Amino acid sequence: MALPPSVFTTVATNIKHHLYTKKGFNRLIVEKPFGKDTESSRKLVNDLGNLFTEEEIFRIDHYLGKEMVKNIMTLRFANIFLGAVWSKDYIDNIQITFKEPFGTEGRGGYFDEYGIIRDVMQNHLLQILSILAMEKPKSLDSEHIRDAKVDLLKSVKPIRKEDILLGQYIGSEDGVKNGYREDKTVPDDSITPTFAALTLFIENNRWKGVPFVLKSGKALDQLKTEVRIQLRDVQDPMFANLSRNELVIRVQPDEAVYMKMMNKKPGLSMDILISELDLTYNRRFPDSKIPEAYEALLLDAFSGDHTNFVRDDELDAAWKILTPILNQIDKEKIEPIKYAYGSRGPVEVNSFIEKYGFKRDQQLYIWDEPSNKSKV
């Protein structure tokens, strides 16, 4: 059901009455958004639960079908050298970034009702966070994995107002692209954010004190989704101008995993530079076909595998994290910061992430991507 949530119950009721079979199996695949807050989400869960069992319901979030998101568990739990540093003792901060280079053209009416936090963060980014930070599941059984994700989400502290930054795009600097409010389907005085940065803290022994910065926005400079894990500084350094090690998981485009590290510059000197251990999929697996996320998830649904689908209590835990701050944003009518279409977002985001310990490279670093060279 890739439909407006307002008709989920009506459609599901008719499916149950006219199409439900007792001879084979039934699969009800529900596309987001799963409500707008905790209350509406619970009502939707209850309404659908009166018609179908939890075993028959598959709440689909296509990011859970993306190759690099599915690879996070393997990276964490199949590699001892990564597992050993996966905690507050070695990790200083983590950023999860979602960028889109287009605005809401043609769907501003829908988007204005939800905003970027509900549209992207409540589902895609919280799902990535839960897999990144959860404890090791008891097994690869789908319920054990989802149990671990729920436990993690329940450990996230309430979000404070000072831990958010909101933005809304205006027209591009060259005048070619219109601003958000210039969309005819958007109210002229809309303060719905099209960009948001939220910082979450997890109250458990593994992650206490480590900031998880979630950033997402529309009408930005590029298409990119990535996880950037910045490790702590080297203690008592012998070398000058050290940059921090970073593990980067590029979800899209050009799937990759690379570790930024310090390396001796080739030659006779002892000068150092930033290099990388690079696993770029286009180079390492040139003949492999990575299926589209929906392809993989639909196959899982047909097979009855719930691993990469959202369980009812997981959904509730995610909404509990965001509903209080969403209510505060709506009540106080917080005005978003303006940023130009095609930019990197509000310029204030740089000081925002630095407030949580992020340090920029001491040297210029160029990563040789498959399609181009860019600063990262």
Side-chain angles (χ1 to χ4, degrees):
M1 297 198 297
L3 301 166
S6 58
V7 299
F8 277 173
T9 302
T10 301
V11 174
T13 299
N14 281 280
I15 290 174
K16 180 63 180 290
H17 289 167
H18 300 290
L19 297 172
Y20 194 87
T21 178
K22 295 182 179 180
K23 295 181 179 179
F25 59 82
N26 299 278
R27 305 277 191 265
L28 184 72
I29 304 173
V30 185
E31 176 67 273
K32 74 171 183 74
F34 313 121
K36 293 179 62 176
D37 51 26
T38 301
E39 182 180 355
S40 59
S41 172
R42 286 176 176 174
K43 183 179 186 309
L44 183 58
V45 166
N46 184 65
D47 289 347
L48 295 182
N50 289 332
L51 298 166
F52 294 86
T53 66
E54 182 64 22
E55 189 70 20
E56 294 171 330
I57 297 173
F58 290 75
R59 299 174 192 86
I60 193 168
D61 181 337
H62 75 279
Y63 259 69
L64 289 176
K66 287 189 175 292
E67 181 69 20
M68 296 312 297
V69 176
K70 293 164 71 175
N71 193 33
I72 291 172
M73 281 186 56
T74 305
L75 291 173
R76 286 193 59 191
F77 302 122
N79 295 290
I80 193 168
F81 73 99
L82 286 180
V85 301
W86 215 266
S87 73
K88 64 181 185 298
D89 297 328
Y90 294 95
I91 292 175
D92 185 88
N93 62 83
I94 296 177
Q95 292 184 61
I96 305 174
T97 302
F98 175 100
K99 287 184 167 187
E100 289 183 333
F102 47 84
T104 60
E105 296 92 336
R107 54 193 296 267
Y110 158 79
F111 184 86
D112 201 68
E113 183 181 353
Y114 289 90
I116 194 71
I117 298 176
R118 292 180 174 94
D119 191 49
V120 174
M121 288 186 163
Q122 185 277 332
N123 37 75
H124 301 336
L125 300 196
L126 277 186
Q127 286 296 323
I128 294 175
L129 179 143
S130 65
I131 301 171
L132 271 174
M134 69 182 183
E135 293 301 312
K136 183 178 179 180
K138 294 179 181 179
S139 74
L140 290 175
D141 178 82
S142 62
E143 295 311 306
H144 287 160
I145 293 171
R146 299 202 292 181
D147 287 344
K149 290 167 66 181
V150 172
D151 288 343
L152 184 281
L153 292 173
K154 287 180 177 179
S155 298
V156 176
K157 295 174 62 176
I159 303 171
R160 305 173 301 174
K161 183 179 176 180
E162 55 264 38
D163 293 327
I164 66 171
L165 184 148
L166 305 177
Q168 186 187 88
Y169 69 86
I170 57 177
S172 58
E173 293 181 355
D174 60 10
V176 174
K177 294 292 187 178
N178 291 329
Y180 178 70
R181 294 183 184 179
E182 295 172 89
D183 186 328
K184 293 180 180 179
T185 62
V186 173
D188 294 339
D189 59 350
S190 172
I191 57 172
T192 298
T194 59
F195 177 98
L198 304 180
T199 302
L200 308 180
F201 292 91
I202 298 169
E203 196 68 22
N204 64 19
N205 290 333
R206 181 183 295 273
W207 298 114
K208 189 176 180 62
V210 176
F212 287 74
V213 182
L214 278 55
K215 299 181 296 178
S216 61
K218 292 184 173 293
L220 297 178
D221 58 334
Q222 61 179 311
L223 174 68
K224 181 173 76 172
T225 303
E226 72 172 23
V227 175
R228 185 173 296 268
I229 301 170
Q230 189 170 82
L231 278 71
R232 295 190 178 278
D233 294 319
V234 173
Q235 298 298 307
D236 302 321
M238 298 170 56
F239 298 91
N241 299 321
L242 289 183
S243 292
R244 285 177 167 176
N245 297 142
E246 291 182 354
L247 176 66
V248 181
I249 303 171
R250 177 67 67 89
V251 177
Q252 69 171 7
D254 300 326
E255 294 89 346
V257 182
Y258 63 96
M259 172 68 84
K260 291 169 63 174
M261 55 180 284
M262 302 308 300
N263 193 52
K264 177 184 171 298
K265 189 175 182 179
L268 297 176
S269 75
M270 285 299 292
D271 293 341
I272 61 175
L273 50 73
I274 305 173
S275 186
E276 68 282 319
L277 298 173
D278 179 11
L279 170 56
T280 297
Y281 272 45
N282 287 348
R283 297 195 192 106
R284 180 63 178 82
F285 310 110
D287 299 323
S288 296
K289 179 187 181 301
I290 298 177
E292 291 295 326
Y294 279 109
E295 289 182 84
L297 291 176
L298 289 174
L299 178 60
D300 287 345
F302 297 151
S303 302
D305 184 351
H306 280 86
T307 301
N308 295 308
F309 293 87
V310 182
R311 203 167 63 190
D312 53 359
D313 56 343
E314 183 182 348
L315 179 62
D316 195 63
W319 274 120
K320 281 183 178 179
I321 294 170
L322 292 176
T323 294
I325 194 65
L326 286 168
N327 289 341
Q328 186 175 1
I329 292 170
D330 293 341
K331 181 180 179 181
E332 298 182 13
K333 300 187 183 303
I334 298 175
E335 186 77 28
I337 301 167
K338 300 298 186 289
Y339 65 95
Y341 195 122
S343 69
R344 296 185 66 183
V347 295
E348 290 83 352
V349 76
N350 292 325
S351 57
F352 181 85
I353 60 175
E354 288 169 2
K355 180 172 70 172
Y356 299 102
F358 178 76
K359 290 186 179 180
R360 300 194 178 277
D361 293 330
Q362 296 296 309
Q363 307 175 25
L364 177 66
Y365 172 67
I366 304 293
W367 183 44
D368 184 14
E369 298 183 79
S371 55
N372 67 306
K373 290 187 176 182
S374 65
K375 297 178 183 178
V376 291

